[in-house]
Amino acid sequence: MAHELTRRLIDAAVTAIRDHADELTGLDQAIGDGDHGINMKRGFDAIADAPELKTLPLGDALQKAGMTLVMKVGGASGPLFGSLLMAMGKAVPGDPTQGEQVQAMLAEGIAAVKKRGKSDAGEKTMLDVLVPVGETLAGELSRHASAKETLAGLCRAADAALERTRPMKATKGRASFLGDRSIGHLDPGARSSQLLIHAVCDAVAESLPA
């Protein structure tokens, strides 16, 4: 059952990136190098081409998927998303069975992205989705929300956080070169993060008992 969830998560994440690659590239053309969607698709295609990942405990699968992104994805996306997955996988060896373990995984992943990118929330990056989602997860767990309620809350948090990147001025990465011209656009890395959060939540929801 644990490996079945790993399979669902990988399939959902790969599909989300493939289905939105053109959109991600369009977002990046507005404020970046214009290759975010292409690069993300290349990385997740490589993950899809490694079927052995689906047979591993989630922690091991995340580490290997993260290493794949680092090796296959150009630009900043590979190191940042790869660091996220690798740190999450190292945080909880094997398969997480409790919400607190998932919270610890996400917290470690966010910390790794902050360190790798020398950035934090508020700079128009993927962290502007990841950090609020991490805070929401902590809040849902503290109030003992059901799994279904927690998943719905995470998706809402991701959606709201993504939209908040639109009026932000970029201060990191290629977009920072545009200065005020970066205002008014969604951040492509934040959009990728939001897509992946939805994919993960949908996959987990499908695995819940009816």
Side-chain angles (χ1 to χ4, degrees):
M1 181 62 185
H3 292 174
E4 174 64 17
L5 178 57
T6 298
R7 183 191 67 77
R8 286 178 183 267
L9 290 170
I10 291 173
D11 287 345
V14 168
T15 298
I17 295 301
R18 283 175 170 171
D19 287 352
H20 293 86
D22 289 344
E23 176 199 347
L24 294 171
T25 291
L27 291 174
D28 199 36
Q29 285 172 341
I31 61 172
D33 291 327
D35 58 359
H36 181 68
I38 296 168
N39 285 337
M40 289 293 284
K41 183 178 182 299
R42 181 185 299 118
F44 279 83
D45 282 347
I47 289 173
D49 289 339
E52 67 276 8
L53 291 179
K54 299 180 181 181
T55 68
L56 299 173
L58 183 58
D60 294 335
L62 284 170
Q63 289 187 63
K64 289 186 177 294
M67 287 188 283
T68 299
L69 292 182
V70 170
M71 291 187 294
K72 297 292 185 179
V73 181
S77 301
L80 291 173
F81 280 93
S83 294
L84 172 70
L85 298 186
M86 286 190 290
M88 289 179 68
K90 291 176 183 176
V92 178
D95 292 301
T97 58
Q98 299 177 0
E100 288 74 16
Q101 290 177 304
V102 177
Q103 181 186 0
M105 292 172 72
L106 184 54
E108 287 297 317
I110 290 170
V113 173
K114 288 181 178 181
K115 182 178 180 181
R116 188 67 180 257
K118 298 181 175 60
S119 58
D120 208 334
E123 298 185 281
K124 203 179 181 90
T125 72
M126 60 193 286
L127 287 170
D128 289 300
V129 165
L130 295 177
V131 170
V133 167
E135 293 170 347
T136 298
L137 178 56
E140 295 293 312
L141 292 174
S142 68
R143 72 181 185 88
H144 305 293
S146 69
K148 185 176 181 180
E149 290 173 332
T150 297
L151 294 171
L154 296 179
C155 288
R156 287 194 301 270
D159 294 346
L162 172 64
E163 190 57 37
R164 287 197 296 272
T165 68
R166 192 184 297 278
M168 288 182 180
K169 178 179 176 179
T171 58
K172 291 290 181 182
R174 181 76 174 180
S176 66
F177 298 160
L178 296 178
D180 289 342
R181 286 181 293 155
S182 65
I183 296 171
H185 299 279
L186 293 177
D187 179 70
R191 173 61 168 150
S192 288
S193 299
Q194 180 241 13
L195 287 169
L196 291 171
I197 288 161
H198 271 270
V200 167
C201 289
D202 289 347
V204 172
E206 289 177 5
S207 70
L208 294 175

